[in-house]
Amino acid sequence: MSWVKESKLSWPQWLAAKVMTAGPLPRHVGFIMDGNRRYAAKRNMDKVRGHVEGFDRLSDVLNWCRELGIREVSVYAFSIENFKRSVDEVNALMKLACDKAELVIEERDKFAEVGLKIRFFGDFSLLTAEVREHLSRVMETTKRNSNFALNICFSYTGRNDILRGVNNVLRAVREEILEPSDVCSGVVDLSLDTCDSQPLDLVVRTSGEVRLSDFMLWQSDFAVIHFTRVLWPELSFWHILGAVLHFQVHLPFIQDLKQKHENGKDKLCRDVRKTQDFLQNVRLISVTEETKKIPNMGHRGGQLMDEISRFEAEISRSTNAFAGPPSTAFI
Ligand code: FPP
Ligand code: MG
């Protein structure tokens, strides 16, 4: 099953999409993909088969979102809590992630053609060296694509994202990039996995659960939350359209609230560009530091280490070269 589906919408789907896209669209949609094991149990399948079919549905969902003109999607693929599942299930999910990462490399031309970039959000330090290497290679392979971003939350919780971000802010304070009094919510925004993302406008959770389960807690402050009873592998184009309609109905109220919030919001610290560059670099360096711990990777490992060294040299050049005036975008 390919990542990049070629299938076109049927004519009723196309017509409905035309009507829907006349209205405002969410810039960034989060999916809490829940219900794979119940789907498998309903069909007397092994639960791992439920996750495999869940991946197939993910590739359909990406296709439908692209057809609707949505440019960014984040999916909750593996929570830090999921490490508490049986060893067999955790191993099967890690293997699925590695297999699908290898498929990205095989399909890299298709990814480039449709402009699909994949980023992984989460705590890499909790993953094995093998999995970290696969995820890094996917990010490296697709990083120049720019039509559509898929963020895969893997070894992720929202709390952990905030904690890692706050630690990066503390590092910026220790290195005197920031004064303690500069730290405000805008600085935390810049320190999160989503620092390059569009605001999260819509979160969809399948399977009838009505919780966020620690998914993008900081980012979902003004998101419309849409719960649907359908199990993830059964999610259809029409369910997505229903979620977008829900978003469109609630948007005017949310925009009004957001406006009031923006008016009273704390100003971002004085030297925005410098902080932004520093926090992004710290994030990237911590990802590469985790990847560096990979032992015995043979010649692929050697290649990767070379790439990391080049990458670090680039980061240190751009950090030293920084001089520009602060951007006004966040002030
Ligand atoms: C939640 O359903 C689903 C997961 C924990 C795994 C989600 C993974 C995929 C959809 C595959 C995506 C793969 C890649 C490589 C991105 P559940 O297991 O909690 O099912 P249940 O709620 O019925 O118990
Ligand atoms: Mg579940």
Side-chain angles (χ1 to χ4, degrees):
M1 175 59 64
S2 164
W3 276 94
V4 185
K5 288 264 171 84
E6 308 286 345
S7 63
K8 290 278 162 224
L9 300 181
S10 66
W11 76 261
Q13 289 175 334
W14 177 85
L15 193 62
K18 273 274 169 219
V19 173
M20 189 63 72
T21 53
L25 287 171
R27 289 162 291 183
H28 177 179
V29 183
F31 288 99
I32 304 177
M33 310 186 287
D34 197 18
N36 290 354
R37 295 183 300 184
R38 275 167 281 170
Y39 170 87
K42 242 170 71 175
R43 283 165 179 71
N44 289 323
M45 292 170 175
D46 181 70
K47 54 179 176 268
V48 176
R49 185 72 219 158
H51 295 312
V52 171
E53 299 222 359
F55 171 80
D56 292 352
R57 189 43 35 116
L58 170 60
S59 72
D60 288 320
V61 168
L62 295 180
N63 186 34
W64 296 328
C65 287
R66 283 195 293 121
E67 293 277 356
L68 285 170
I70 293 164
R71 302 280 307 273
E72 183 165 1
V73 162
S74 293
V75 294
Y76 207 4
F78 191 88
S79 143
I80 291 175
E81 287 298 306
N82 292 153
F83 281 112
K84 294 179 187 155
R85 294 190 177 188
S86 72
V87 175
D88 283 352
E89 190 180 350
V90 172
N91 286 345
L93 282 164
M94 294 297 152
K95 181 171 181 322
L96 184 63
C98 290
D99 290 349
K100 297 306 175 188
E102 281 167 19
L103 189 58
V104 173
I105 315 293
E106 275 171 41
E107 297 188 328
R108 59 157 77 81
D109 294 342
K110 270 194 193 172
F111 273 75
E113 205 178 300
V114 299
L116 172 52
K117 182 209 307 265
I118 294 188
R119 294 181 291 210
F120 285 92
F121 291 170
D123 192 336
F124 272 34
S125 70
L126 304 175
L127 296 169
T128 64
E130 188 195 4
V131 176
R132 284 198 301 260
E133 188 205 356
H134 278 82
L135 308 194
S136 299
R137 283 171 61 83
V138 168
M139 291 196 280
E140 182 60 34
T141 304
T142 63
K143 72 179 182 191
R144 287 190 186 80
N145 303 339
S146 59
N147 290 338
F148 185 96
L150 169 64
N151 311 314
I152 302 180
C153 299
F154 200 85
S155 180
Y156 176 93
T157 59
R159 276 185 164 72
N160 176 274
D161 184 12
I162 296 167
L163 207 58
R164 283 181 289 113
V166 167
N167 274 315
N168 289 339
V169 172
L170 285 175
R171 196 162 155 181
V173 171
R174 270 200 308 276
E175 298 191 20
E176 297 177 355
I177 304 287
L178 284 176
E179 296 287 330
S181 61
D182 291 331
V183 178
C184 60
S185 67
V187 169
V188 178
D189 283 338
L190 294 175
S191 71
L192 300 175
D193 285 335
T194 43
C195 60
D196 286 329
S197 288
Q198 293 290 309
L200 185 66
D201 284 330
L202 173 64
V203 175
V204 179
R205 180 170 191 161
T206 57
S207 91
E209 295 287 342
V210 289
R211 299 173 293 121
L212 280 178
S213 297
D214 218 340
F215 175 70
M216 295 209 165
L217 297 181
W218 181 278
Q219 296 85 346
S220 55
D221 55 349
F222 288 102
V224 172
I225 316 289
H226 181 80
F227 297 108
T228 168
R229 297 179 71 82
V230 68
L231 303 175
W232 173 259
E234 294 172 339
L235 189 77
S236 71
F237 173 79
W238 301 105
H239 292 112
I240 300 212
L241 230 50
V244 173
L245 182 63
H246 186 188
F247 164 78
Q248 291 182 343
V249 168
H250 288 274
L251 185 64
F253 308 103
I254 288 186
Q255 264 175 338
D256 194 38
L257 282 173
K258 197 168 181 177
Q259 191 62 50
K260 287 185 185 133
H261 171 86
E262 294 288 323
N263 290 341
K265 199 173 166 185
D266 43 6
K267 299 269 181 286
L268 195 63
C269 63
R270 54 199 154 72
D271 206 344
V272 177
R273 265 281 294 285
K274 195 167 176 178
T275 310
Q276 192 168 14
D277 287 355
F278 178 83
L279 289 171
Q280 281 194 2
N281 291 342
V282 166
R283 270 197 69 243
L284 293 172
I285 289 167
S286 63
V287 169
T288 54
E289 273 169 1
E290 290 305 334
T291 312
K292 256 185 178 175
K293 293 177 193 158
I294 302 169
N296 305 326
M297 286 188 304
H299 75 283
R300 282 168 80 196
Q303 263 174 11
L304 191 68
M305 297 305 284
D306 289 343
E307 275 169 35
I308 290 169
S309 308
R310 266 203 306 282
F311 182 53
E312 282 178 345
E314 239 176 70
I315 287 174
S316 104
R317 257 200 312 283
S318 68
T319 312
N320 295 338
F322 167 77
S327 147
T328 53
F330 297 90
I331 298 173

